């Protein structure tokens, strides 16, 4: 199991447990978490799964995927150096304890 | 903030989104989401893509069961709505009458089944059950014959060929995905499928499904012990029609996605709506249209102020290692300009209508923004920049 903490815009923390291979987006959706929409089902078409990776987890989550940068440009909230599409972050044991912050809005 | 009773018929991508968006807009009245298919609302795009390979059905659910209680949305799946009684202001499910103040029709489409001999032997790919049956059938080496060279038929063909099956595709039109993409893009995908070893039969409609496969218009026999029918769909308009609402290749709605009855809206695959800009009625089959329609309707109901629908269409299709992305909406006859990297710009009356790209998210996203701008770029202005969209 890989534990992920989602910090909503208002500071609410939700801890979820996923399996290696799940994405940060799909884990959130599977648990009905508000704050991630995931409209295209992880096809990198919608940017409604925007998240900010916590500073402590930047290295572990690694670089953005091919094309992710371009899709992020259409995210509705501010895109920063910590921004990722959560559908493109795949859980692995190395990400156990991951913390991501969610933007105020996704659409 | 609104408080009326909302009933949504059809618990697919658009129906669910409407329910979710209504709550986001602060709608406080009861929301009932009724869907004929059993189980939780799920996403269809993966049915002809990842699901065929992985078979992971639980990954397809759009939201978990607990979500509906949390959001106070009454989800009733496995139940079909039988009729809309506008006079009484109710929808009928069996003997039960469910009253509504607002009604949203999100009934989607079903497979078109052409009247050709033997067609009963052909399988569909529309629902999770369909996809599961196809996946099960691919458990041993098959001769796969696909009727229809559109997105769904070709996505299925690409997966089947990738798994090592012997695949043929028969298409009545002279090129692949002819309604939706440029001739240049059709050609590119023809090359892809031929490289995958798939036999393509173009301009050659199917006249019969036989015990051993397909017979085509020119007499060619194609071997097939697994036949997929993917020759287009029909919008599910019967409920609306029986209720006296206007039908025009879909449930006819205005710019606010309302039918002639101001209480009743339609969205997604089943709705024929005025294209923003041109005003001509169109019907789109895409996640984008279903979800953006749903949000516009939810805003109109939720805020009480009319929200005209104005989103730029986008669509994608994954076939083997190519991800086709389309921004905008072109007619089959629109002009095409092919760029060096294979992207195709479409123009009508000198204005950009759509951009087709392969594995190029940058240009796709740029195109979506350009098409959302008013006015939409002209061909001349883009030519001056050597059609470099990133410079526009
Ligand atoms: C195999 C496949 C692949 C696809 N791939 C893509 C893709 O890559 N990209 C993309 O953008 N789009 C794709 N699509 C299209 C996309 O899935 C649809 O456009 C989208 O699902 C439309 O949403 P909707 O809510 O309008 O209809 P649907 O999601 O089809 O939902 C309609 C629901 O209404 C129910 N219903 C109908 N009548 C009644 C009734 N009387 N009572 C109760 N329930 C009723 C139906 O059973 C159905 O479940 C694909 C579709 C398929 C089938
Ligand atoms: S879910 Fe659509 S881009 Fe991530």
């Amino acid at each position: 199991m890989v534990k992920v903490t989602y910090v909503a815009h208002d500071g609410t923390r939700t801890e979820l447990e996923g399996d290696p291979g799940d994405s940060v987006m799909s884990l959130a959706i599977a648990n009905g978490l508000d704050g991630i929409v995931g409209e295209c089902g992880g096809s990198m078409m919608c940017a409604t799964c925007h998240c900010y990776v916590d500073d402590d987890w930047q290295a572990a989550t690694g670089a953005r995927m091919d094309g992710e940068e371009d899709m992020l440009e259409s995210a509705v909230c501010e895109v920063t150096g910590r921004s990722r599409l959560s559908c493109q972050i795949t859980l692995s044991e190395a990400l156990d304890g991951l913390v991501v912050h969610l933007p105020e809005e996704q659409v | 903030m609104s408080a009326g009773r909302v009933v949504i018929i059809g618990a697919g991508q658009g129906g669910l989104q409407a329910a979710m968006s209504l709550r986001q807009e602060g709608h406080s009245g009861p929301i009932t989401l009724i869907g004929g298919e059993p189980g939780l609302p799920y996403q269809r795009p993966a049915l002809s893509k990842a699901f065929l390979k992985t078979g992971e059905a639980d990954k397809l659910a759009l939201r978990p069961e607990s979500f509906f209680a949390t959001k106070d949305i009454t989800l009733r799946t496995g139940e079909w709505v039988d009729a809309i009684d506008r006079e009484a202001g109710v929808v009928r499910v069996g003997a039960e009458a469910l009253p509504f103040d607002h009604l949203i029709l999100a009934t989607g489409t079903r497979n078109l089944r052409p009247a050709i001999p033997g067609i009963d032997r052909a399988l569909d790919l529309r629902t999770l059950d369909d996809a599961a049956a196809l996946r099960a059938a691919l458990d041993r080496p098959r001769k796969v014959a696909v009727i229809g060279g559109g997105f769904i038929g070709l996505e299925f063909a690409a997966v089947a060929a990738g798994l090592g099956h012997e695949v043929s595709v028969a298409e009545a039109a002279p090129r692949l995905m002819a309604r939706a993409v440029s001739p240049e893009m059709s050609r590119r995908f023809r090359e892809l499928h031929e490289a995958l070893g798939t036999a393509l039969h173009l301009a050659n409609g199917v006249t019969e499904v036989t015990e051993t496969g397909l017979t085509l218009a020119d007499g060619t026999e194609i071997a097939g012990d697994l036949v997929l029918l993917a020759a287009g769909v029909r919008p599910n308009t019967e409920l609306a029609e029986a209720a006296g609402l206007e039908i025009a290749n879909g449930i006819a709605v205005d710019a606010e996605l309302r039918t002639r009855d101001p209480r009743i809206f339609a969205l997604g695959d089943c709705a024929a709506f005025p294209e923003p800009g041109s005003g001509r009625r169109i019907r789109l089959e895409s996640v984008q249209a279903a979800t953006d329609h749903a949000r516009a309707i939810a805003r109109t109901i939720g805020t009480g102020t009319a929200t005209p629908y104005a989103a730029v269409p986008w669509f994608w299709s994954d076939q083997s290692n190519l991800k086709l992305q389309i921004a905008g909406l072109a007619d089959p006859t629109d002009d095409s300009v092919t760029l060096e990297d294979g992207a195709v710009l479409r123009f009508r009356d000198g204005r950009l209508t759509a951009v087709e790209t392969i594995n190029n998210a940058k240009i796709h996203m740029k195109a979506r923004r350009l098409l959302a701008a008013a006015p939409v770029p002209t061909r001349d202005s883009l030519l001056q920049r050597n059609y470099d969209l990133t410079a526009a």
Side-chain angles (χ1 to χ4, degrees):
Chain A
M1 291 308 250
V2 184
K3 201 180 286 173
V4 182
T5 303
Y6 299 79
V7 185
H9 190 70
D10 67 4
T12 313
R13 298 172 80 87
T14 307
E15 245 180 49
L16 298 175
E17 284 194 349
D19 294 317
D22 287 349
S23 74
V24 172
M25 181 277 290
S26 65
L27 177 62
I29 297 298
N31 288 278
L33 189 77
D34 285 334
I36 290 187
V37 175
E39 182 162 296
C40 75
S43 295
M44 238 211 274
M45 285 297 293
C46 71
T48 63
C49 62
H50 181 196
C51 73
Y52 305 101
V53 173
D54 194 85
D55 288 333
D56 295 343
W57 290 91
Q58 291 290 328
T61 47
R64 291 175 184 161
M65 297 293 171
D66 230 15
E68 193 177 332
E69 186 105 24
D70 305 300
M71 190 54 54
L72 271 170
E73 277 179 40
S74 75
V76 293
C77 285
E78 190 197 358
V79 175
T80 72
R82 304 148 75 214
S83 289
R84 290 293 306 270
L85 294 176
S86 59
C87 67
Q88 301 302 313
I89 305 175
T90 306
L91 298 186
S92 63
E93 299 297 348
L95 291 184
D96 190 22
L98 174 67
V99 179
V100 297
H101 302 260
L102 304 181
E104 188 170 7
E105 285 179 311
Q106 293 283 12
V107 284
Chain B
M1 204 164 74
S2 56
R5 292 159 298 184
V6 178
V7 172
I8 304 169
I9 308 179
Q13 185 109 36
L16 171 67
Q17 185 63 51
M20 297 198 297
S21 295
L22 276 163
R23 287 292 180 240
Q24 265 155 21
E25 295 290 344
H27 178 81
S28 62
I31 300 175
T32 307
L33 179 59
I34 311 174
E37 288 183 73
L40 292 168
Y42 63 91
Q43 41 194 321
R44 296 186 200 283
L47 296 181
S48 49
K49 307 179 182 79
F51 173 81
L52 288 173
K53 295 178 223 168
T54 66
E56 292 173 330
D58 51 339
K59 292 249 155 70
L60 299 179
L62 285 161
R63 290 295 180 275
E65 182 131 34
S66 59
F67 178 86
F68 296 90
T70 311
K71 299 289 173 194
D72 196 16
I73 295 165
T74 305
L75 175 68
R76 297 176 54 166
T77 54
E79 294 187 88
W80 296 94
V81 171
D82 298 310
I84 302 165
D85 184 338
R86 288 164 57 201
E87 217 160 290
V90 298
V91 302
R92 301 200 184 277
V93 185
E96 189 184 353
L98 275 170
F100 64 82
D101 298 301
H102 308 279
L103 177 63
I104 301 175
L105 306 177
T107 48
T109 56
R110 64 177 175 278
N111 243 13
L112 195 71
R113 294 202 74 94
I116 51 179
I119 196 70
D120 289 347
R121 274 192 285 277
L123 302 179
D124 289 328
L125 179 43
R126 176 82 207 154
T127 66
L128 179 52
D129 285 349
D130 294 339
L134 284 165
R135 186 178 137 73
L138 290 175
D139 67 342
R140 55 187 176 281
R142 288 283 193 176
K143 292 186 174 64
V144 176
V146 179
I147 306 176
F151 293 117
I152 293 176
L154 292 175
E155 288 182 359
F156 181 79
V159 172
L163 292 172
H165 301 280
E166 191 182 317
V167 185
S168 313
V169 177
E171 165 60 52
R175 60 186 180 92
L176 299 174
M177 306 175 282
R179 276 189 312 132
V181 304
S182 60
E184 291 73 13
M185 205 48 86
S186 295
R187 198 174 315 130
R188 178 81 194 273
F189 277 86
R190 179 182 178 161
E191 287 162 12
L192 167 77
H193 287 277
E194 285 172 349
L196 292 171
T198 297
L200 299 178
H201 302 265
L202 299 175
N204 214 345
V206 176
T207 53
E208 187 175 354
V209 182
T210 63
E211 293 289 339
T212 56
L214 305 177
T215 308
L216 306 187
D218 72 352
T220 306
E221 303 268 343
I222 298 182
D225 51 16
L226 175 61
V227 177
L228 173 70
L229 173 61
V233 296
R234 284 180 66 108
N236 292 322
T237 56
E238 288 74 9
L239 284 180
E241 191 168 9
L245 299 172
E246 186 190 349
I247 307 299
N249 177 36
I251 302 166
V253 292
D254 64 14
E256 289 159 32
L257 308 169
R258 244 189 250 264
T259 64
R260 277 197 302 222
D261 185 326
R263 298 167 298 175
I264 306 180
F265 299 80
L267 64 74
D269 282 15
C270 71
F273 65 99
E275 180 178 40
S278 78
R280 63 184 179 158
R281 262 209 187 111
I282 57 171
R283 197 174 61 74
L284 295 178
E285 292 153 19
S286 71
V287 167
Q288 175 277 323
T291 54
D292 282 339
H293 283 170
R295 282 192 277 266
I297 293 170
R299 202 157 302 150
T300 298
I301 295 175
T303 63
T305 43
T307 311
Y309 174 77
V312 174
W314 52 261
F315 186 79
W316 79 99
S317 176
D318 297 332
Q319 297 174 36
S320 185
N321 57 352
L322 300 192
K323 183 185 201 81
L324 168 67
Q325 295 175 306
I326 305 173
L329 182 68
D331 284 343
T333 52
D334 284 4
D335 296 338
S336 309
V337 173
T338 307
L339 307 185
E340 225 167 273
D341 69 347
V344 182
L345 311 188
R346 312 292 306 276
F347 295 96
R348 184 164 64 242
D349 303 330
R351 290 213 175 265
L352 188 67
T353 52
V355 176
E356 303 160 0
T357 51
I358 293 176
N359 300 346
N360 192 337
K362 187 180 213 70
I363 298 294
H364 172 72
M365 289 314 298
K366 186 69 196 177
R368 277 204 222 169
R369 280 192 288 277
L370 285 175
L371 288 161
V376 167
T378 62
R379 184 164 178 165
D380 291 340
S381 69
L382 290 172
L383 176 60
Q384 278 165 22
R385 299 178 159 94
N386 224 347
Y387 295 118
D388 180 0
L389 293 194
T390 58

